[in-house]
Amino acid sequence: MTMALYGLLLVSAATVGTALSAGTSSYADSVATDTTAMIYLSQYGYLSPSVKNPAMSHLMSEESVSKAISEFQSFVGLNITGNLDTETLKMMSIPRCGVKDKVGVASDLRSKRYALQGSRWRVKNLTYKISKYPSRLRKRDVDEEIRQAFSLWSDYTDLTFTPKQSGSVHIEIRFERGEHGDGDPFDGPGGTLAHAYFPVYGGDAHFDDSERWTINSFSGTNLKQVAAHEFGHSLGLSHSDVRAALMAPFYRGYDPSLSLDEDDIEGIQALYGRKSRNTDSDSDSAGTSNRHSTTEAPTEEDAELCTSASVDTIFNSADGSTFAFKGQHFWKLTEESIAPGYPQRISKSWPGLPGDIDAAFTYKNGKTYFFKGSQYWRYTGRKMDGNYPKPISEGFTGIPDNLDAAFVWSGNGKIYFFKRDKFWRFDPSSRPPVKNTYPKPIANWEGLPNDLDAALQYTNGFTYFFKGGQYYRFNDRAFAVDVANPPFPRPAGYWWFGCRSATKGSALGNLQSEQKEVRDKVLSALIVADPKAPLADGEVSGAAAQGSAEEYHRDEAENDHVDDLILDAAGPSGEDRSPHDEEQPTPSTAATTFSSALCVLAFSLVLHLLV
């Protein structure tokens, strides 16, 4: 079995401290030249495997090498320079997992910081057995450590893990030395700790019995921590680029209060769903819970948000909290409504930040960006970073002022800005960061209205858009507003702010759904009558709609890895196309124009009659 099949090849924790403090390990000495750095980047998936042959390295272009270095710097959280600077070489010298950082489809379409390998178990009641125990620990102690390692994952999902003494199981656990039958021998103390297979390859986990496995001790190698990481791979998770995550590629040593990071939780729930409860939740017609986990209503409703549920912006902070801003105040949202003690003044919690914010988002560098008018502010937590505000035109080249909404989309991890009836895609790793094909019409996001109030990627993996006190749940895979009962848009007051006196369904949503169904039929009839007649803005018909959506989705979710960014160091200016600039009409014949006018007139008359 090749190394590409393994979920993990951890390097001994005993050498990590040395590498971090002095950088004097033998491997640290080896990553000191351009050639060895290129081999490193190839080994972990950033360059072609052919680069492992030094004789082939001269075939790599300078641009390809710089991009690979930038992607590595992004993954490990360094400033992106595209150069082999001291910090980058130091990071390359730290002992780490032997598996590539890019494993499976999800690694190239990073919607969040966690990564999914691409396979998962089709059942949730899994079994395991320890076929061979470590030689220096008591069996009952090992059994308990393994049970606790599995429980870290079952605490947040409906997965169950049942030990068996014999027979076939889903996950087999063995402690072995040297060659043990899978083609990747262990190398004794101080080398590799363990490796695990992803579900598609069986899910088994192997541990090096030559290591000094310990329990509840800072000495040796902590069994529960390594096992929990391994089992993450056995369940289908790849490595995360969040340093605090259990699934991060670098082993950190014993943690007495070991727990899953929010990033680990989001990853495992993306594969197996949330731990189920008896809830009144934001669900689709199949009953799949997507937001809110309790039925307990708050004792008091918020007077302001339950009177008018429109907001200025909603965003997730770096610690996973969700905040809604409106005017001079903000609210912290819980799974069911609003946290006690809110609203509070924005200026009190984010010193130096004004009210009436236009848009906000938190990027993967942990920084939160706020936009108002022609300026933006950057914060780490609640502390402003340096001298702000700064002009949007300097930090976000190609993005207009006076935005409506902004968020980081799960489809490709890039930043999207919305204003009126257009949107812009901002890619900090590209120069220019906004392509000259933007702005594009919001109508490309099927089912979304113009003039949005707010947008965010929520912790359940869905994207939500808000307008006028209502919200739309967007299905990133279908690239359209989700189909559910009650339909979208839904009242934000009821579903997000705990306003139980508000209606649960959406009359507007029902009306729009009925109108859309009739409109599609009318459009189909008009197109049959005159297939060459152009449609109204944003309208796509029949098979063309599916083809157009698929083509657009491929474009938006292109296989780019999103680089971490220092947004204030904007690159060369791209084409800053104002959303007020109208598209130039394509020349057409008088006959086509007349035919188009008849179609649009007929369509308008039918809709008028329906309403």
Side-chain angles (χ1 to χ4, degrees):
M1 194 68 66
T2 65
M3 279 302 301
L5 302 184
Y6 290 122
L8 181 64
L9 184 56
L10 280 173
V11 187
S12 174
T15 64
V16 173
T18 303
L20 284 170
S21 60
T24 57
S25 70
S26 59
Y27 190 73
D29 294 335
S30 68
V31 185
T33 67
D34 288 353
T35 299
T36 50
M38 295 307 100
I39 294 174
Y40 180 98
L41 292 171
S42 175
Q43 180 178 354
Y44 296 112
Y46 297 97
L47 286 174
S48 169
S50 65
V51 182
K52 290 184 179 180
N53 179 2
M56 300 292 292
S57 62
H58 68 281
L59 299 178
M60 298 298 297
S61 68
E62 182 178 348
E63 181 181 359
S64 297
V65 172
S66 179
K67 181 179 180 181
I69 295 171
S70 295
E71 288 182 344
F72 172 75
Q73 291 168 334
S74 169
F75 188 81
V76 300
L78 298 176
N79 285 337
I80 297 175
T81 64
N83 300 317
L84 288 173
D85 50 34
T86 302
E87 290 300 315
T88 302
L89 289 172
K90 181 179 178 181
M91 185 63 71
M92 287 182 173
S93 300
I94 297 175
R96 52 152 295 161
C97 304
V99 71
K100 292 181 178 180
D101 291 330
K102 296 185 175 183
V103 178
V105 180
S107 63
D108 287 329
L109 292 175
R110 296 296 296 275
S111 58
K112 304 176 182 57
R113 299 181 182 181
Y114 65 82
L116 311 180
Q117 177 266 338
S119 65
R120 65 180 178 89
W121 297 102
R122 300 302 175 185
V123 296
K124 294 186 177 181
N125 300 317
L126 302 175
T127 58
Y128 69 92
K129 67 179 178 183
I130 305 174
S131 299
K132 195 172 182 179
Y133 283 80
S135 56
R136 290 187 288 270
L137 291 175
R138 293 184 300 180
K139 289 187 176 181
R140 64 183 182 184
D141 292 337
V142 173
D143 289 340
E144 177 61 19
E145 287 292 280
I146 296 299
R147 185 196 67 79
Q148 291 183 22
F150 276 121
S151 70
L152 288 173
W153 301 108
S154 60
D155 284 347
Y156 294 94
T157 65
D158 285 337
L159 291 170
T160 64
F161 302 96
T162 304
K164 294 179 64 174
Q165 300 299 318
S166 61
S168 61
V169 293
H170 295 96
I171 301 172
E172 183 180 4
I173 302 166
R174 291 163 31 206
F175 290 77
E176 300 281 4
R177 295 183 181 221
E179 175 58 54
H180 51 281
D182 62 6
D184 190 66
F186 289 125
D187 55 3
T192 60
L193 294 179
H195 50 235
Y197 290 97
F198 295 115
V200 68
Y201 302 118
D204 295 345
H206 302 161
F207 299 80
D208 189 351
D209 192 34
S210 299
E211 302 295 338
R212 182 169 169 254
W213 298 106
T214 57
I215 297 173
N216 298 328
S217 173
F218 284 96
S219 64
T221 304
N222 181 256
L223 175 58
K224 181 169 70 174
Q225 184 163 329
V226 174
H229 182 115
E230 295 287 345
F231 298 153
H233 291 302
S234 297
L235 295 173
L237 290 177
S238 188
H239 289 140
S240 169
D241 56 5
V242 175
R243 294 189 180 185
L246 178 63
M247 297 310 298
F250 300 100
Y251 182 77
R252 300 184 303 274
Y254 174 54
D255 180 359
S257 57
L258 181 65
S259 62
L260 296 189
D261 183 80
E262 184 66 28
D263 185 73
D264 300 310
I265 296 171
E266 291 180 12
I268 198 65
Q269 291 181 343
L271 286 173
Y272 300 101
R274 293 186 177 191
K275 199 171 188 67
S276 62
R277 304 181 180 97
N278 293 324
T279 66
D280 180 13
S281 62
D282 175 14
S283 61
D284 56 25
S285 56
T288 304
S289 177
N290 292 308
R291 170 171 164 80
H292 297 171
S293 304
T294 67
T295 56
E296 186 96 18
T299 55
E300 294 183 7
E301 295 185 349
D302 184 85
E304 185 170 354
L305 290 182
C306 290
T307 300
S308 174
S310 60
V311 295
D312 294 336
T313 189
I314 296 183
F315 67 96
N316 292 320
S317 63
D319 65 4
S321 300
T322 303
F323 296 100
F325 278 30
K326 184 174 184 178
Q328 304 299 318
H329 296 90
F330 76 96
W331 292 256
K332 182 178 180 180
L333 306 185
T334 66
E335 284 295 315
E336 66 272 8
S337 59
I338 296 169
Y342 292 87
Q344 297 181 13
R345 290 193 65 85
I346 294 172
S347 58
K348 181 178 180 180
S349 295
W350 283 270
L353 188 66
D356 299 306
I357 294 295
D358 292 335
F361 67 85
T362 300
Y363 196 60
K364 64 180 295 182
N365 59 2
K367 309 289 187 180
T368 301
Y369 298 83
F370 298 93
F371 301 81
K372 179 178 180 179
S374 62
Q375 298 176 314
Y376 78 98
W377 291 254
R378 191 183 76 189
Y379 281 74
T380 300
R382 304 292 181 91
K383 183 179 179 181
M384 188 187 297
D385 291 340
N387 186 24
Y388 285 88
K390 295 182 179 181
I392 293 175
S393 59
E394 292 183 7
F396 293 83
T397 304
I399 300 302
D401 300 338
N402 301 306
L403 296 163
D404 290 336
F407 78 106
V408 181
W409 184 46
S410 68
N412 55 19
K414 293 178 175 58
I415 308 165
Y416 285 77
F417 294 90
F418 296 79
K419 180 175 179 178
R420 298 186 180 177
D421 61 345
K422 292 181 172 61
F423 74 95
W424 291 253
R425 186 181 74 183
F426 188 91
D427 182 359
S429 66
S430 298
R431 292 295 179 267
V434 179
K435 292 182 179 180
N436 59 12
T437 55
Y438 289 87
K440 295 182 179 180
I442 289 180
N444 287 356
W445 300 70
E446 184 179 341
L448 290 186
N450 298 329
D451 303 302
L452 295 166
D453 291 337
L456 90 159
Q457 173 79 45
Y458 194 58
T459 55
N460 60 8
F462 282 85
T463 304
Y464 292 85
F465 295 87
F466 298 78
K467 179 179 179 178
Q470 298 183 312
Y471 77 97
Y472 301 75
R473 189 177 71 198
F474 197 79
N475 188 320
D476 294 341
R477 292 185 179 275
F479 205 70
V481 170
D482 234 356
V483 177
N485 185 24
F488 295 99
R490 294 178 180 176
Y494 180 91
W495 293 100
W496 286 79
F497 308 138
C499 307
R500 294 311 181 192
S501 60
T503 59
K504 180 178 180 180
S506 171
L508 176 59
N510 286 312
L511 176 59
Q512 289 182 339
S513 297
E514 294 171 1
Q515 288 180 346
K516 184 178 185 300
E517 182 179 355
V518 176
R519 180 181 61 187
D520 290 343
K521 292 179 180 179
V522 173
L523 279 172
S524 298
L526 291 174
I527 293 163
V528 170
D530 186 358
K532 295 184 180 180
L535 301 177
D537 290 343
E539 297 295 346
V540 186
S541 65
Q546 181 177 358
S548 176
E550 290 177 354
E551 180 181 357
Y552 180 75
H553 188 264
R554 285 195 300 271
D555 175 59
E556 291 304 319
E558 60 190 2
N559 293 342
D560 296 352
H561 183 75
V562 179
D563 289 328
D564 203 349
L565 77 168
I566 302 177
L567 288 174
D568 311 291
S573 176
E575 180 183 348
D576 188 4
R577 184 180 174 193
S578 169
H580 304 294
D581 295 339
E582 297 295 333
E583 298 282 351
Q584 294 300 316
T586 303
S588 60
T589 64
T592 304
T593 304
F594 180 71
S595 176
S596 173
L598 287 177
C599 290
V600 174
L601 178 60
F603 173 62
S604 301
L605 288 173
V606 172
L607 282 185
H608 178 71
L609 291 173
L610 289 173
V611 176

